[in-house]
Amino acid sequence: MARRATGARKIVVTAIAWGVGLAIFFPILWTILTSFKTEAEAIASPPSFLAFEWTLENYAEVNSRSDYFLHFMNSVIISLGSTLLGLLIAIPAAWSMAFVPAKRTKDILMWMLSTKMLPPVGVLVPIYLMFRDFGLLDTRIGLIVVLTLINLPIIVWMLFTYFKEIPGEILEAARMDGASLWDEVVHVLTPMAVPGIASTLLLNIILAWNEAFWTLNLTAAKAAPLTAFIASYSSPEGLFYAKLSAASTLAIAPILILGWFSQKQLVRGLTFGAVK
């Protein structure tokens, strides 16, 4: 009886998991399908799921109208640059908070997390004016700096959580063997936290890749990433759904491929320390 109940429960849980997964993925699937429709079919009611005339016209027009490669390279440079810069700052910070905590360490962590609760529009004007005065508007360096600051609390919190799971006795043993602070962080701590660092890296690349508010407000043409590439297909005359879907598919394809091939590493890192 127990085995039957366990088997039935497993089937129900699996069905629910598949249902939730399909519900989450359906908007992406619908966007991909719409990108192969004509504009008339894209706004048809009732909509057609698969029974429509497939066309590559939208992709051809998107590629002829916009420089996809430029936007793609901007996204790659900005997301990788901001994530790597954030890791360079966060690894020493998380190490000090995890292994040499001060009286106010928890307060600092909560303060860093509280900065994520502020609506970005609340600091748009001062940041825009500072970027204008320092000549950082529509530059990759400017976006790398602002995205680093935005995602830094998440990076520090994730690394702090991973580092807390590493026994301090290992670092003490390294010190007794004569390891310097640099050796301790680079040769002992970092290799042990590779799953956590890798998942932090991947998650923050995704966050930086999808950031739209700052990229749309601080760029115009030269440093515009794929989020601005997508936004360029909405106009005062209305939304061109098929072309907008084609642009969106081209923008999300690289990050979907990255997520697909790195899903095991991402899950391993996100669950690092959950089970001892």
Side-chain angles (χ1 to χ4, degrees):
M1 182 67 68
R3 290 182 179 178
R4 291 179 182 176
T6 302
R9 182 179 180 183
K10 184 177 180 180
I11 293 173
V12 171
V13 171
T14 302
I16 293 174
W18 271 100
V20 172
L22 290 174
I24 294 173
F25 182 71
F26 183 77
I28 300 175
L29 176 62
W30 189 254
T31 299
I32 296 172
L33 290 175
T34 305
S35 69
F36 293 100
K37 298 179 179 180
T38 62
E39 290 294 344
E41 291 173 328
I43 61 174
S45 181
S48 56
F49 190 70
L50 293 174
F52 58 87
E53 185 178 351
W54 294 62
T55 179
L56 294 175
E57 177 185 352
N58 299 311
Y59 289 96
E61 185 165 345
V62 165
N63 285 316
S64 63
R65 172 179 164 181
S66 305
D67 190 349
Y68 171 79
F69 184 74
L70 173 64
H71 295 289
F72 171 77
M73 288 305 302
N74 286 338
S75 287
V76 171
I77 293 171
I78 291 167
S79 57
L80 282 177
S82 63
T83 301
L84 293 177
L85 180 59
L87 285 175
L88 288 176
I89 300 171
I91 288 176
W95 173 87
S96 64
M97 292 178 180
F99 299 108
V100 194
K103 187 180 295 186
R104 297 293 183 184
T105 294
K106 291 185 178 179
D107 295 335
I108 293 173
L109 285 169
M110 290 305 300
W111 171 77
M112 293 180 67
L113 189 62
S114 69
T115 60
K116 297 295 295 179
M117 303 175 189
L118 177 67
V121 70
V123 292
L124 174 61
V125 173
I127 288 180
Y128 184 90
L129 294 177
M130 285 190 293
F131 271 50
R132 183 198 63 186
D133 295 340
F134 286 101
L136 294 175
L137 286 177
D138 200 18
T139 63
R140 293 170 176 173
I141 295 176
L143 283 178
I144 287 174
V145 170
V146 74
L147 292 183
T148 298
L149 296 175
I150 289 170
N151 293 327
L152 191 59
I154 297 176
I155 302 176
V156 172
W157 263 91
M158 291 183 68
L159 292 179
F160 171 77
T161 303
Y162 301 137
F163 289 171
K164 285 290 287 184
E165 297 297 327
I166 297 176
E169 292 79 5
I170 296 178
L171 300 182
E172 293 177 3
R175 294 183 198 126
M176 292 180 65
D177 290 337
S180 64
L181 179 60
W182 175 261
D183 294 330
E184 182 181 329
V185 174
V186 176
H187 300 295
V188 180
L189 180 64
T190 303
M192 295 185 65
V194 164
I197 293 174
S199 65
T200 303
L201 177 76
L202 293 170
L203 180 61
N204 282 273
I205 286 175
I206 294 171
L207 291 175
W209 188 280
N210 292 330
E211 176 59 43
F213 180 82
W214 293 109
T215 56
L216 292 177
N217 284 287
L218 299 179
T219 62
K222 296 179 181 179
L226 287 171
T227 47
F229 169 75
I230 296 173
S232 66
Y233 285 89
S234 60
S235 67
E237 290 80 12
L239 290 174
F240 298 95
Y241 290 106
K243 297 176 182 61
L244 185 62
S245 297
S248 300
T249 302
L250 289 173
I252 66 176
I255 208 69
L256 279 177
I257 295 171
L258 174 65
W260 177 264
F261 284 105
S262 60
Q263 56 183 319
K264 290 184 179 179
Q265 187 68 32
L266 185 60
V267 172
R268 182 187 175 192
L270 291 174
T271 57
F272 182 72
V275 180
K276 294 186 179 180

